[in-house]
Structures are given as C-alpha cells and as structure tokens.
Amino acid sequence: RSFGVPGLGKDAMSATLEALGYRRRDALAFEAKKLRAHWLSPPAEAPELPRVFVSELEVERLSPGAQDIIRRHTGQAEALGEAPLMWGLLAASTPWEAPSRADYAALAEESEYAAWTLAHGYAVNHTTISVHRLGDWCPDIQALCDFLESEGFQLNRSGGVVKVSPDGGLLQASTVADPVGVAFGGGEEEAVPRAFIEFAERRVLPEFAHL
C-alpha cells in the first residue's frame, strides 16, 4: 500500500523490485476504493520467489482535508527518494513522523486504506498462500479453513469464510488482521489492525479439465 504522490507511490516501490530483477505486469484499477495497482513477477532466474502486488491511493480524489493530512506527512519523506519500500520493510517504521490520533481518525472516516497507510507506512499489508500448491495434505480451501479454526486461528467471516468468484474459478479466505500497538503523536497509543494472511485456491479452467 502507498500514497499516490510523486516519489512515494507504486512506481517508487516498484523501482526497488525492478532493480532486483522483478518484472512489471498487468495494471489494475479499483474505482470504488480509488486505487491504482499492478503486480510484478519474480526474476526469470528465481521463479520460486513470490509475486508482488503493489498499489497506491489516488490522493487527488479524496476530500481537501484528507489530501492535506496526507501531503503534510508525505512531504517529510521526500529525502528518501525512491526507497520507501525498503524503508518500510527494513526499518519497520513509517517514513514520516508519527501521525496524531486525530489525523488517523479523520482519514479512517473517509478511507480505511489511507488510515492504514498513514499508521503503518509501506509495510506489507498481507501475503497470499496458494492452497492448490500445498499438496495432498490439504485437499481444498475448506479443509484448510477447518484446520486453521481448529488450531485457534480467527478467520474473516465477512461475506462468508470462503469467498467464491462469480465464475467459480477462484476461492479465497483470510485471517483477521492482527492488531498492533501504534504510537501516535502526542504520546497516545492504540491497537489498530495491521497484516493478515490470505488463502487462495484456483480451480482448473473448464477448457483444461481433460488434461
């Protein structure tokens, strides 16, 4: 997740990965959430590495008040140049000063994505595990969900534990995001959601079912 401002959006994040051999792929748009995104495939010499999905919030489409909050904070990160991704991953910190609780709450009213990014910076929002690659011990996503719940994991039940795409080819589930303590400016601290794990099962396309 990132803010779509010069030097700190998805292109800046991708630059770090492309320097390591990753290749940019399909561009995507999520109009309702005001997001732009694309994914990157791993280097040809290391296909076992994960794909990476990067996104950015279209800041210019938010209210003037929300834009002001975001630009006040991102303006502090200009000295990082094109390194926001590495800052987020290696420093486990935001590239700007801790926001106030009031700024976080104001963004949360308008965009969960904006509030999350303000609080956590360029940290990983979630990772996805391909259920169809887990082998014989896990026959399908429902079996995996049953196992996880039996072990005490809390799964996201909004819309049902297992979500199915309109064509039935993709099934998804996820854990509930773990809350972590965030130290806001002024000494306030509050537990807010951070990262979660997604599980995805892709079924064989009908045209390849005979293979």
Side-chain angles (χ1 to χ4, degrees), residues 19 24 47 56 101 105 122 129 146-147 157 159 166 168 173 197 206 210:
R24 188 179 304 212
E56 66 181 16
R101 179 66 181 79
Y122 293 78
I129 295 174
D146 292 342
F147 170 74
R157 292 183 169 275
I197 301 173
H210 64 286

Side-chain angles (χ1 to χ4, degrees), residues 26-58:
D26 305 311
L28 304 164
F30 302 90
E31 287 296 321
K33 293 188 176 182
K34 303 179 177 66
L35 303 179
R36 294 181 290 254
H38 61 259
W39 65 278
L40 299 98
S41 61
E45 62 273 18
E48 70 281 2
L49 291 178
R51 297 178 178 182
V52 179
F53 182 89
V54 295
S55 60
E56 66 181 16
L57 180 65
E58 297 178 74

Side-chain angles (χ1 to χ4, degrees), residues 131-140:
V131 177
H132 49 281
R133 295 184 177 179
L134 294 180
D136 295 338
W137 76 271
C138 181
D140 55 39

Side-chain angles (χ1 to χ4, degrees), residues 76-112:
Q76 303 169 19
E78 293 178 356
L80 292 177
E82 294 189 339
L85 175 64
M86 297 309 293
W87 179 276
L89 294 180
L90 299 181
S93 178
T94 60
W96 44 74
E97 292 181 1
S100 68
R101 179 66 181 79
D103 281 348
Y104 173 81
L107 288 187
E109 289 185 2
E110 188 167 339
S111 167
E112 178 275 334

Side-chain angles (χ1 to χ4, degrees), residues 129-192:
I129 295 174
S130 297
V131 177
H132 49 281
R133 295 184 177 179
L134 294 180
D136 295 338
W137 76 271
C138 181
D140 55 39
I141 195 169
Q142 186 60 61
L144 177 61
C145 290
D146 292 342
F147 170 74
L148 291 172
E149 290 194 311
S150 72
E151 292 295 315
F153 287 89
Q154 185 178 0
L155 301 182
N156 185 347
R157 292 183 169 275
S158 177
V161 173
V162 177
K163 289 80 171 173
V164 184
S165 64
D167 64 1
L170 175 63
L171 293 81
Q172 294 171 292
S174 67
T175 62
V176 173
D178 288 331
V180 298
V182 171
F184 291 104
E188 297 179 88
E189 184 169 331
E190 182 177 333
V192 298

